[in-house]
Amino acid sequence: MSAVVEGLTQLSDPVVLLCILIGALAGMLVGAFPGITATMAVALASAFTLTMEPVQGLAVLLTIYVAANFGDRVPAILVNTPGTPASIATTFDGYPLARQGKAGLALTTSAFGAAFGTFAGLLVLIFAAIPLSRVALNFGPAEIFALVVFGLTMIVSVAGSNLLKGLAAAGFGLALSTVGRDPIVGTERMTFGVLELSDGLPFIAVIIGLFGIADVLDQMLTHHAATAKPIQSFGRWMPNRTERRKMWKPMAIGSGVGAVVGAVPAAGGDIAGLTAWSVSRRSSEHPEEYGKGSLEGLTAGDTASNATLGPSVSTTLALGVPGDSVMAVLMGSLVIWGFNPGPGLFAAQPDLVYTIAGIMVIATVLTFGLSLLRMRGVTKLLELPPHYLWTVVIVFCLVGTYAVNNSTVDVLVMIVFGVVGLFMRRLGFPPGPVVLGLILGSMAEANLRRALEIGGISNVLTSPIAVGFLLVALASVALPPLLRSWKTHRAGRRHTHTVNH
Amino acid sequence: MAYDAVLDGTPADPAPISAQPSEPASASLLWRLAGPLCGIAVGAAVVGLAQTIALPAIEGQFSPRWWPQVSGAAIILFSLAAAVRALPADAPMEELEARQPGGVGRILASLGAVAAYGALWHWLDFRIVTVLLVAGLVAISGGRGWAGLVVFPVVVTTVLWVLFSLLLRVPV
């Protein structure tokens, strides 16, 4: 109990609260600009915070981390461009909702989901950090490969109406993931001698191209001044009682998925959001609405990606293994401040867990409040004439992508994938599975090869965790069509029976 | 024409109702197969490129070519299946917004402006080329007047400069 009191007492310093406010404003700004990731912002802020007191510095960095995960939903909903990779799933339903004149409702619902997810994740940090981290510590190549296979089954949901084209697109994503060095022997693959591609395709540039630039190009192609209908009304802002009731189930799914995915090292909000969107769709009474403006889909994705924050911090602190890329950057600052993330940290400084949880709770409350306040101003973006909106999106994507690595190759990759994304849209290939293949491809290949080279196929089949994931993956692919077929068969028999009668 | 058909999703010049029925039908088949055929071409390119990957001196259980080949084969396999599925005349097609006149021109001009921006950035100051790019993109998209072509570019460039160069210290 004294650790709790000690930890929370650290937050009574007004300077810490000021740091949280600065972090919230900076984080939301960072999240709202496509191309500027939370990782980049935390890395840059680290340079300024190293001279501060550890708790003050942590307040700035952790609040940027939290706030960026609220701000990144805004461009995802308004201009179909994820502010950070964690809001990819937001574009699936958020943008269609905005196009239906429900941008206000989408932004509010997203903020509620994100806040709920963050609090759920923080509960994991406070109560289940050590047990969850122990489970994640047991993940070897076989288990991670099985987890990735489970992740790949999401293609079934993300593919939309044409599963075959979705699967082909996922194959394209897997092929893209092979660009760079071979994960086992280090041989260069498909880099065409370009040094910048040795570490693989720049992920952020690819997703900004496939989603943001491709959408602007598509609008340029199809826009007609006479038929275009500028959005005059943003509709309701607050969800009604029926909608609020519907949000509980996807919020529960999102929280569960985010908690598990967040605890696994190197798996972040992007994977959690996509997984939760997919799981929620499978369990929904209206799966056909997903991808077309479903509030349930929007809530599930946003809850899950934010629910990874707490578990990700837990994994970083308890194991010394970064839960995601932001945590990898944060670990550097922690070490400089004299903290040593790892199993010993909880024993030596248990109060730190509660200080961190306290900072994140305050950051979430503050950012949630700011999210609701600023929305009316932000949605005015939709009223911009297309020539302003297209220009702003293109220019910010250009400079933002350059800023990630200070690389013109990244910008070129973004433009190329913008054009590729346009052709994919016009040819009926969904871009979602490409991203999924790109995210999971290298993890799948590296871990499968390691697992097979260590102990052959039995290495995978004798692991209860791996087998569990594989069975769930198999069930999630096979069960929906089997159930549909069974229902059709049953309905047909009923119909025949009625006619005969 | 083929480029137009691909971008449009429908024939660029839809045949009138009184036209011969065979013409729209053949165009429709071409359009239905366009996606899967592109997929097969991409898959074949991936498999071909995989053959150019250098093999390590000491070969392990799995070659570095293995995963790219599997990926390429998967693209070909699923694209072939999509092609077979698209063959019947009543095969379901995705609904796409129709291409508008001038749309392709707008895209090409915008890409050209971005390419010129990339080239000029090496020679001129970021603020100057960005003002020029923003003004160019606004003009290409149909914006006119001093507010769109002068004030807006200056405001956007100032925001970018303050955010990236001053605050985030990106060497733009």
Side-chain angles (χ1 to χ4, degrees):
Chain A
M1 192 62 182
S2 63
V4 179
V5 174
E6 261 182 56
L8 295 180
T9 307
Q10 304 267 4
L11 304 178
S12 58
D13 181 0
V15 180
V16 172
L17 297 177
L18 181 67
C19 289
I20 292 176
L21 179 65
I22 292 168
L25 294 172
M28 289 185 70
L29 189 68
V30 159
F33 286 107
I36 308 178
T37 61
T39 313
M40 179 188 175
V42 169
L44 288 165
S46 297
F48 299 100
T49 54
L50 284 178
T51 53
M52 299 168 85
E53 288 294 315
V55 176
Q56 294 168 1
L58 272 175
V60 174
L61 301 183
L62 286 169
T63 309
I64 289 176
Y65 182 42
V66 171
N69 279 279
F70 276 82
D72 62 353
R73 272 70 182 157
V74 178
I77 290 170
L78 299 185
V79 289
N80 200 27
T81 303
T84 70
S87 59
I88 290 170
T90 312
T91 60
F92 295 171
D93 287 299
Y95 185 58
L97 278 166
R99 292 193 68 165
Q100 292 164 19
K102 296 176 184 170
L105 184 61
L107 286 164
T108 314
T109 307
S110 171
F112 275 111
F116 186 90
T118 312
F119 284 127
L122 288 175
L123 288 178
V124 174
L125 170 65
I126 295 165
F127 295 110
I130 298 171
L132 257 178
S133 301
R134 278 184 188 151
V135 172
L137 195 59
N138 290 328
F139 277 35
E143 289 78 15
I144 294 177
F145 168 70
L147 176 68
V148 171
V149 170
F150 172 63
L152 283 170
T153 63
M154 288 180 282
I155 291 165
V156 177
S157 297
V158 180
S161 58
N162 195 330
L163 180 60
L164 290 170
K165 283 186 177 174
L167 290 167
F172 181 51
L174 292 177
L176 293 176
S177 75
T178 65
V179 174
R181 292 187 187 282
D182 178 273
I184 306 294
V185 294
T187 310
E188 295 244 335
R189 301 190 297 189
M190 305 201 198
T191 58
F192 306 105
V194 180
L195 189 66
E196 284 85 349
L197 295 181
S198 294
D199 292 330
L201 279 169
F203 175 62
I204 291 164
V206 173
I207 61 167
I208 288 179
L210 281 176
F211 286 93
I213 296 293
D215 192 67
V216 169
L217 297 182
D218 196 40
Q219 286 184 34
M220 284 182 166
L221 190 72
T222 57
H223 175 74
H224 193 276
T227 55
K229 295 175 188 166
I231 295 167
Q232 300 293 338
S233 162
F234 302 118
R236 285 178 291 117
W237 287 85
M238 297 304 286
N240 59 34
R241 184 180 287 181
T242 316
E243 287 160 347
R244 281 201 302 272
R245 208 175 290 153
K246 276 186 184 174
M247 282 163 63
W248 287 111
K249 189 176 165 188
M251 281 205 271
I253 291 171
S255 302
V257 170
V260 174
V261 174
V264 176
D270 44 359
I271 296 175
L274 290 167
T275 310
W277 187 86
S278 171
V279 173
S280 173
R281 186 186 185 215
R282 283 173 194 157
S283 66
S284 172
E285 290 172 11
H286 303 285
E288 73 285 353
E289 290 175 5
Y290 278 61
K292 295 173 187 165
S294 164
L295 278 178
E296 289 179 61
L298 178 70
T299 310
D302 284 351
T303 307
S305 58
N306 275 46
T308 60
L309 305 188
S312 183
V313 174
S314 309
T315 307
T316 309
L317 291 178
L319 302 178
V321 178
D324 59 24
S325 54
V326 179
M327 286 296 109
V329 175
L330 190 73
M331 270 181 71
S333 295
L334 285 169
V335 171
I336 291 171
W337 281 321
F339 302 117
N340 288 312
L345 186 65
F346 285 124
Q349 288 172 296
D351 55 309
L352 184 66
V353 177
Y354 302 104
T355 304
I356 286 174
I359 289 170
M360 291 177 79
V361 166
I362 297 171
T364 306
V365 171
L366 184 63
T367 314
F368 177 60
L370 287 171
S371 297
L372 296 179
L373 279 178
R374 88 200 130 85
M375 282 175 178
R376 287 179 191 277
V378 169
T379 39
K380 292 287 175 192
L381 272 175
L382 284 175
E383 288 179 327
L384 278 175
H387 50 265
Y388 289 139
L389 191 61
W390 296 342
T391 303
V392 167
V393 173
I394 290 176
V395 175
F396 269 91
C397 286
L398 280 173
V399 183
T401 303
Y402 173 79
V404 174
N405 293 318
N406 299 339
S407 163
T408 47
V409 173
D410 286 13
V411 178
L412 190 63
V413 168
M414 181 197 72
I415 296 292
V416 167
F417 276 91
V419 177
V420 168
L422 174 66
F423 273 85
M424 286 182 67
R425 279 161 195 251
R426 306 308 292 180
L427 293 168
F429 288 95
V434 179
V435 175
L436 208 57
L438 183 59
I439 295 173
L440 299 177
S442 52
M443 276 173 81
E445 182 191 7
N447 286 291
L448 176 63
R449 282 170 63 182
R450 279 192 200 111
L452 293 179
E453 288 189 2
I454 290 169
I457 192 71
S458 61
N459 191 23
V460 179
L461 297 179
T462 52
S463 159
I465 297 173
V467 172
F469 273 124
L470 291 175
L471 286 177
V472 175
L474 186 68
S476 57
V477 171
L479 276 183
L482 283 176
L483 281 174
R484 267 199 303 274
S485 157
W486 180 68
K487 276 181 186 169
T488 314
H489 180 67
R490 204 173 145 192
R493 277 181 62 186
R494 246 188 227 159
H495 179 70
T496 314
H497 180 72
T498 313
V499 169
N500 289 343
H501 228 63
Chain B
M1 178 66 185
Y3 177 74
D4 286 345
V6 164
L7 284 179
D8 194 356
T10 56
D13 301 310
I17 297 169
S18 59
Q20 290 177 1
S22 61
E23 284 174 15
S26 62
S28 178
L29 177 68
L30 177 69
W31 166 240
R32 290 203 306 273
L33 290 178
L37 290 177
C38 284
I40 292 167
V42 169
V46 171
V47 173
L49 283 170
Q51 307 311 313
T52 65
I53 297 168
L55 293 172
I58 304 166
E59 286 192 31
Q61 197 175 343
F62 294 95
S63 152
R65 295 177 182 176
W66 176 66
W67 191 259
Q69 284 170 339
V70 169
S71 308
I75 300 171
I76 295 173
L77 184 73
F78 292 123
S79 299
L80 266 175
V84 172
R85 188 170 175 255
L87 277 177
D90 60 345
M93 290 291 292
E94 292 81 10
E95 284 180 22
L96 292 171
E97 280 187 62
R99 174 176 56 86
Q100 297 297 332
V104 175
R106 265 198 296 261
I107 290 175
L108 293 176
S110 300
L111 293 176
V114 170
Y117 177 67
L120 284 174
W121 194 346
H122 291 288
W123 304 99
L124 297 172
D125 186 86
F126 167 80
R127 288 160 287 189
I128 296 169
V129 284
T130 306
V131 166
L132 292 175
L133 173 71
V134 175
L137 288 175
V138 170
I140 290 165
S141 310
R144 297 291 180 268
W146 63 271
L149 298 175
V150 180
V151 176
F152 181 69
V154 170
V155 170
V156 170
T157 305
T158 307
V159 171
L160 284 169
W161 174 254
V162 169
L163 178 66
F164 286 96
S165 183
L166 297 185
L167 294 178
L168 296 175
R169 302 188 177 191
V170 175
V172 287

